[in-house]
């Protein structure tokens, strides 16, 4: 049977958001208000900023405005991989900040531990599992690359286990797996929407004022304060943290530094005990493969398989549009790849198929900026690794707004921005050539062509 038939009953709603425990939205802001800190954006980046601001200073008056509903965008649509890495992987960090990578790795581990402690302290029920994750080789040439990654990880204090074909298939049994690298402690699996909803509740319990269905439409100076206009009101704040990520920044000069890249995922129906036994997966790790166009895969709490990635789709002119959340051709490709990886699961159906926008930057990870003489701070560009790194980003934004020099703000990663994306139509042409080149590299044992090598030297990239 054609694998596409497994999609016939798939709901377009993101699985994590299709939840009876989804909280009712907070009311919209109506009328003017003043506060100490305004956070624009109610995803992870904004929620962590608000929560940590109140923990630092319980007397601070903190307001969060969210254009839609908390967790409904990237924070509720992702794969739920909460990683210690702040740099989109050790290799990217070494390439960009070789002299800081030891500090960045340590700060990442501390950040992951702080997330775990916050979840426990506030009683957030989000299916947190510190299972670690696997990187798997599915082509012979990738096996040697795993050995090099293991050696680099050991040099920088990360404990990993290098697995041969038999060992990796003893963990997760796919005939496509030829080897693996298991990071046992640096990654947790989480229900991403419930994490966002739990952070919202924690903020409200600390008297953060949260307003949903309240987009910020303009940002201006108003004497000693910054004013943000909304459809029904206006907020005047001493400090503003912009946490809109894939959505256009209220500051136009920030917009060239990110592009919205669409990523897609499928979720199966729950596996039966026999189906799960056929795959193994007793340790419940997430995994991703080594290709440039990679898949990311994990189990949910009720033993569904999330299968996402591969296509990273940029549309001419950018922009975030609801109609782009569905892409049947990508769903069909993902379904075929799923059954190639797990032929023993023939007959399993997909219950959900969805997409969403990632805030991609040219260096694959977060960058920072300030404006209005330090009264406005900005973090964006997480490039698909924001579940964990957004908490670190929140700490940095608050340090910057306080005018404090900390270990975080002294990092070159924080002090320097990436190269911006070029304007259209050059942007679309460049991204298109890059996508073609990455696919070609996957088909040619990882060999990067002149275009990709030139981008590497220039510090430019395009990734999901």
């Amino acid at each position: 049977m054609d694998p596409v038939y497994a999609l016939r009953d798939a709901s377009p709603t993101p699985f994590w958001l299709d939840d009876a425990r989804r909280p009712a939205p907070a009311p919209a802001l109506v009328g003017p208000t003043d506060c100490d800190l305004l956070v624009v954006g109610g995803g992870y980046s904004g929620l962590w900023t608000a929560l940590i601001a109140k923990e630092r200073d319980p007397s601070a008056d903190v307001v969060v405005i969210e254009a839609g509903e908390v967790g409904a965008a990237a924070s509720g649509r992702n794969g739920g991989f909460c990683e210690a890495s702040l740099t989109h992987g050790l290799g990217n960090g070494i390439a960009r900040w070789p002299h800081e990578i030891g500090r960045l790795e340590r700060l990442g581990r501390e950040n992951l531990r702080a997330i775990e402690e916050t979840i426990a302290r506030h009683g957030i029920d989000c299916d947190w599992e510190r299972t670690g994750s696997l990187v798997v080789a599915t082509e012979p040439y990738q096996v040697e690359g795993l050995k090099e990654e293991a050696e680099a990880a050991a040099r920088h204090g990360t404990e990993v286990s290098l697995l041969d074909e038999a060992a990796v298939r003893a963990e997760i049994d796919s005939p496509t797996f030829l080897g693996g690298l298991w990071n046992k402690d640096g990654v947790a699996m989480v229900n991403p929407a419930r994490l966002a909803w739990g952070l919202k509740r924690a903020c409200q319990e600390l008297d953060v004022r949260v307003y949903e269905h309240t987009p910020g439409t303009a940002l201006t100076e108003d004497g000693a304060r910054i004013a943000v206009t909304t459809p029904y009101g206006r907020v005047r704040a001493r400090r503003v943290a912009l946490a809109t990520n894939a959505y256009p920044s209220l500051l136009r000069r920030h917009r060239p530094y990110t592009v919205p890249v669409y990523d897609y995922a499928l979720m199966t129906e729950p596996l039966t005990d026999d189906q799960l036994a056929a795959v193994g997966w007793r340790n419940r790790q997430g995994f991703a493969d080594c290709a440039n166009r990679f898949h990311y895969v994990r189990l949910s709490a009720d033993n569904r398989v999330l299968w996402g990635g591969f296509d990273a789709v940029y549309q001419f002119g950018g922009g975030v549009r609801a109609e782009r959340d569905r892409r049947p051709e990508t769903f069909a490709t993902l379904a075929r790849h799923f059954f190639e990886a797990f032929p023993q699961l023939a007959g399993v159906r997909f219950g959900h198929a969805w997409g969403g926008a990632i805030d991609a930057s040219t260096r694959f990870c977060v960058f920072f900026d300030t404006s209005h003489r330090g009264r406005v701070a900005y973090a964006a560009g997480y490039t698909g690794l924001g579940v964990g790194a957004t908490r670190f980003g929140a700490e940095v934004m608050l340090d910057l707004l306080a005018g404090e020099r900390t270990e975080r703000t002294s990092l070159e990663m924080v002090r320097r921005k990436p190269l911006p994306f070029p304007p259209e139509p050059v942007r679309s042409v460049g991204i298109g050539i890059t996508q073609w080149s990455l696919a070609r590299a996957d088909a040619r044992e990882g060999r990067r062509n002149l275009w990709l090598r030139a981008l590497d030297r220039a510090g430019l990239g395009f990734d999901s």
Side-chain angles (χ1 to χ4, degrees):
M1 181 180 294
D2 189 333
V4 175
Y5 280 98
L7 291 162
R8 62 188 181 275
D9 298 319
S11 167
T13 303
F15 168 76
W16 312 112
L17 299 176
D18 191 8
D19 188 337
R21 294 166 57 181
R22 184 173 183 170
L29 173 67
V30 176
T33 192
D34 284 24
C35 63
D36 296 315
L37 173 66
L38 170 64
V39 180
V40 181
Y44 293 141
S45 188
L47 294 168
W48 279 118
T49 303
L51 181 62
I52 295 169
K54 288 294 286 188
E55 290 177 337
R56 290 186 180 187
D57 181 4
S59 68
D61 183 13
V62 179
V63 169
V64 175
I65 60 172
E66 160 57 35
E69 295 183 16
V70 163
S75 297
R77 295 168 181 266
N78 63 82
F81 286 66
C82 189
E83 303 198 21
S85 177
L86 305 174
T87 60
H88 211 288
L90 179 60
N92 190 50
I94 292 172
R96 297 180 187 280
W97 303 287
H99 302 298
E100 291 187 343
I101 190 61
R103 294 167 63 196
L104 289 165
E105 288 289 288
R106 173 178 55 78
L107 289 168
R109 290 190 291 269
E110 292 172 359
N111 183 65
L112 183 62
R113 184 163 58 249
I115 293 171
E116 190 168 53
E117 291 169 354
T118 300
I119 288 169
R121 184 168 65 252
H122 290 282
I124 297 174
D125 180 8
C126 58
D127 301 329
W128 178 268
E129 295 182 282
R130 194 74 174 263
T131 58
S133 68
L134 287 162
V135 178
V136 298
T138 56
E139 296 288 344
Y141 76 90
Q142 297 169 353
V143 174
E144 189 62 33
L146 291 181
K147 295 177 183 176
E148 294 173 1
E149 286 188 45
E151 292 168 358
R155 288 196 300 270
H156 294 93
T158 299
E159 295 185 11
V160 296
S161 297
L162 186 63
L163 308 179
D164 62 15
E165 181 176 352
V168 73
R169 291 190 63 175
E171 293 295 329
I172 305 172
D173 190 10
S174 169
T176 65
F177 291 180
L178 304 178
L181 193 64
W182 186 2
N183 181 340
K184 294 186 178 182
D185 191 56
V187 185
M189 297 294 110
V190 66
N191 180 313
R194 288 187 183 178
L195 175 58
W197 300 333
L199 290 172
K200 171 188 169 182
R201 175 181 57 78
C203 285
Q204 291 173 318
E205 289 175 351
L206 294 180
D207 295 325
V208 173
R209 291 186 281 152
V210 179
Y211 298 100
E212 295 177 75
H213 298 294
T214 304
T217 56
L219 183 151
T220 57
E221 287 192 87
D222 186 356
R225 290 183 175 254
I226 303 295
V228 173
T229 304
T230 72
Y232 305 127
R234 188 167 180 259
V235 187
R236 295 171 68 247
R238 293 177 57 247
R239 299 286 185 269
V240 175
L242 298 179
T244 52
N245 297 312
Y247 290 84
S249 173
L250 289 176
L251 298 179
R252 186 171 294 275
R253 68 185 176 92
H254 287 150
R255 295 180 185 179
Y257 290 93
T258 61
V259 295
V261 175
Y262 273 79
D263 179 58
Y264 297 91
L266 308 177
M267 184 71 94
T268 71
E269 62 190 350
L271 300 188
T272 66
D273 290 344
D274 288 343
Q275 288 169 332
L276 188 59
V279 181
W281 224 335
R282 292 178 299 279
N283 290 308
R284 300 182 58 81
Q285 316 95 319
F287 75 84
D289 59 61
C290 294
N292 291 306
R293 303 175 74 191
F294 63 91
H295 304 86
Y296 55 88
V297 191
R298 59 159 299 184
L299 287 172
S300 67
D302 60 349
N303 292 329
R304 301 168 189 262
V305 181
L306 181 145
W307 183 270
F310 191 72
D311 280 342
V313 181
Y314 173 75
Q315 302 277 0
F316 182 89
V320 180
R321 305 281 187 273
E323 62 268 21
R324 295 175 181 172
D325 294 344
R326 285 188 58 76
R327 196 166 191 265
E329 59 268 44
T330 293
F331 296 149
T333 297
L334 287 172
R336 294 187 181 99
H337 291 175
F338 174 85
F339 289 111
E340 289 169 5
F342 295 123
Q344 65 270 51
L345 296 182
V348 168
R349 294 179 299 173
F350 298 105
H352 297 77
W354 73 93
I358 291 171
D359 57 326
S361 72
T362 59
R363 72 183 189 192
F364 305 155
C365 62
V366 64
F367 66 90
F368 305 90
D369 199 5
T370 60
S371 69
H372 296 76
R373 295 174 297 284
R375 291 180 292 169
V376 177
Y378 180 74
Y382 291 94
T383 319
L385 206 73
V387 180
T390 44
R391 186 194 173 281
F392 174 81
E395 294 263 29
V396 172
M397 281 198 288
L398 291 170
D399 290 350
L400 293 171
L401 289 171
E404 297 177 352
R405 183 172 176 83
T406 65
E407 182 180 22
R408 290 180 289 265
T409 61
S410 68
L411 292 166
E412 183 182 354
M413 175 190 187
V414 172
R415 292 185 291 105
R416 296 190 179 184
K417 295 197 297 293
L419 292 169
F421 287 95
E424 295 288 15
V426 177
R427 177 184 299 177
S428 287
V429 172
I431 289 174
I433 294 171
T434 303
Q435 289 176 312
W436 176 84
S437 298
L438 290 170
R440 184 173 173 81
D442 284 338
R444 299 175 68 238
E445 297 188 338
R447 292 191 294 274
R448 297 171 76 80
N449 63 15
L450 289 173
W451 175 262
L452 292 178
R453 294 201 296 272
L455 292 182
D456 292 340
R457 288 192 294 273
L460 286 162
F462 177 80
D463 189 56
S464 64

